[in-house]
Amino acid sequence: MDSRKPKILYVEDDVNLGFVTKDNLLKRGYEITLCEDGLTASHTFQKQKFDLVILDVMLPKIDGFALAQKLRDKDKNVPIIFLTAKSM
């Protein structure tokens, strides 16, 4: 049985929301890497393997949609969940 914690790349520029979400995911047994902008997240994804990516849509440096395309170019199978405050 694999006892490795699932690794999540969480990309959120809102510091408070990022902290609360990361803390809750850690308590539920996930390994979380939090990045606060798309460029940092892109570099992080190139260096590590993740089981899931959670992206904000409106990010500094590289927006969530452009970042998702970059991540898909490297790993076509990693699940991506978008979180956003946008209404559309």
Side-chain angles (χ1 to χ4, degrees):
M1 183 172 177
D2 186 5
S3 62
R4 180 183 71 85
K5 291 181 178 183
K7 289 182 68 170
I8 298 175
L9 175 61
Y10 177 41
V11 190
E12 173 59 64
D13 63 327
D14 181 306
V15 176
N16 293 326
L17 180 58
F19 174 80
V20 169
T21 304
K22 179 180 177 179
D23 189 52
N24 278 286
L25 290 168
L26 286 169
K27 287 179 183 176
R28 285 164 176 76
Y30 297 98
E31 182 179 326
I32 308 299
T33 300
L34 175 60
C35 296
E36 294 180 358
D37 66 75
L39 186 60
T40 302
S42 179
H43 292 306
T44 301
F45 192 84
Q46 298 297 319
K47 296 175 188 170
Q48 298 180 47
K49 173 109 173 85
F50 292 94
D51 300 301
L52 174 68
V53 177
I54 302 174
L55 295 178
D56 186 5
V57 173
M58 300 184 320
L59 293 168
K61 300 185 182 173
I62 300 174
D63 71 74
F65 295 122
L67 177 58
Q69 185 58 56
K70 286 179 169 282
L71 303 184
R72 280 280 180 251
D73 290 344
K74 180 161 183 352
D75 183 345
K76 293 185 185 334
N77 297 313
V78 66
I80 297 173
I81 296 173
F82 287 99
L83 296 180
T84 183
K86 288 180 113 178
S87 61
M88 297 296 289

